[in-house]
Amino acid sequence: MKNKGIKYKGIIFDLDGVITDTAEYHYLAWKKLADELNIYFDRKINENLKGVSRLESLEIILKNGDKVFSDEEKHYLADKKNDYYKEMIKKITPQDILPGVCDLINNLKEREIKIAVASVSKNAKTVLDNLGLLDSFDYIVDAEKIKNGKPDPEIFLNAADGIKVEPCCCIGIEDSKAGIEAINRAGMLSVGVGNPETVEEADIILKDLSNPSDILNLI
Ligand code: BG6
Ligand code: MG
């Protein structure tokens, strides 16, 4: 296994699709916008949007249409999608935390493992707040301060720095292709959850985090 013999001291979680199923809300909000624009968009295309910033996601969607938009129009469309998304995440409660995640967090804290969130979403703090998890992490990356999104390793390196753990002693957990690449490029152990094809480059592939010992056994 990569980083064999390493003692892992930090776990860095992606948010959307790992801690809660907001990946579905991102999809539904983009689908609503794409339908309004008469642009073909489905769940397969959506896999490429996971972990990717709002404007980059819009660019991927627009590739399937023949309309040309100015930068101003693109910002308007991205804002519109974000309005749909913000409406959807208003109803999030602690019950929307995915199975096993709370147990895993509690177990990691008991073992004094540092935990961080590395999400490129500008809505991450709102989502964490609605989940009741805002104070549960040692560090939450501020997406506004990240220059290069996933697959660039910057966001995971920033998280490692935030919890003061060397990257090689961190495990990153992601549901996106871009995110797994970012973790691998950061020199961390990568755990992929969700669609196995999407996370095929991960060191370890899990269906979900419902069994906390899948992660605890790595420590
Ligand atoms: C990522 C999601 O976490 O955040 C992407 O996987 C999303 O789908 C990105 O586009 C940006 O989110 P937001 O909330 O800033 O539009
Ligand atoms: Mg994700």
Side-chain angles (χ1 to χ4, degrees):
M1 192 170 76
K2 186 162 96 186
N3 303 356
K4 204 168 178 275
I6 291 276
K7 194 149 173 44
Y8 292 103
K9 294 181 186 139
I11 308 282
I12 304 171
F13 293 80
D14 171 47
L15 172 65
D16 298 320
V18 170
I19 291 176
T20 186
D21 200 12
T22 30
E24 180 65 11
Y25 292 147
H26 279 296
Y27 166 72
L28 293 173
W30 283 124
K31 178 73 180 144
K32 190 167 153 80
L33 184 81
D35 285 352
E36 283 167 10
L37 295 171
N38 256 315
I39 293 177
Y40 183 76
F41 179 60
D42 61 14
R43 286 181 184 275
K44 192 158 182 278
I45 302 170
N46 186 59
E47 287 303 304
N48 300 322
L49 268 53
K50 288 183 177 172
V52 171
S53 76
R54 201 179 304 160
L55 274 172
E56 284 173 293
S57 298
L58 177 67
E59 296 287 1
I60 295 172
I61 289 172
L62 294 182
K63 273 190 202 148
N64 290 300
D66 46 21
K67 299 187 190 86
V68 177
F69 295 96
S70 66
D71 282 354
E72 199 185 344
E73 286 168 329
K74 284 179 187 168
H75 277 100
Y76 169 78
L77 293 173
D79 284 350
K80 202 167 174 195
K81 178 267 173 176
N82 195 43
D83 288 343
Y84 297 150
Y85 181 69
K86 284 202 290 192
E87 203 48 46
M88 293 175 190
I89 61 173
K90 268 187 195 162
K91 52 181 186 241
I92 289 179
T93 72
Q95 290 190 333
D96 293 303
I97 300 171
L98 285 168
V101 172
C102 280
D103 261 5
L104 177 58
I105 290 175
N106 292 336
N107 268 287
L108 291 170
K109 279 174 184 272
E110 272 171 31
R111 294 172 192 219
E112 295 182 6
I113 301 290
K114 297 284 179 206
I115 53 174
V117 175
S119 171
V120 295
S121 172
K122 308 255 162 70
N123 295 293
K125 288 209 170 151
T126 307
V127 171
L128 286 168
D129 196 20
N130 292 355
L131 292 172
L133 290 179
L134 201 52
D135 299 323
S136 300
F137 293 88
D138 297 295
Y139 184 75
I140 298 168
V141 174
D142 180 353
E144 302 280 356
K145 297 207 172 113
I146 299 300
K147 288 196 197 77
N148 308 298
K150 301 168 188 177
D152 192 281
E154 182 184 347
I155 191 163
F156 282 95
L157 294 173
N158 178 294
D161 196 46
I163 53 176
K164 299 192 168 43
V165 177
E166 276 186 81
C168 64
C169 298
C170 290
I171 299 173
I173 311 178
E174 263 287 350
D175 69 323
S176 71
K177 188 175 171 58
I180 293 295
E181 188 181 330
I183 298 170
N184 289 341
R185 284 167 62 185
M188 302 175 181
L189 187 77
S190 56
V191 175
V193 295
N195 186 326
E197 275 174 41
T198 305
V199 296
E200 64 184 355
E201 298 293 325
D203 297 311
I204 291 157
I205 299 178
L206 301 174
K207 192 167 138 286
D208 52 37
L209 295 177
S210 59
N211 187 2
S213 52
D214 287 337
I215 300 295
L216 297 172
N217 287 342
L218 299 170
I219 293 162

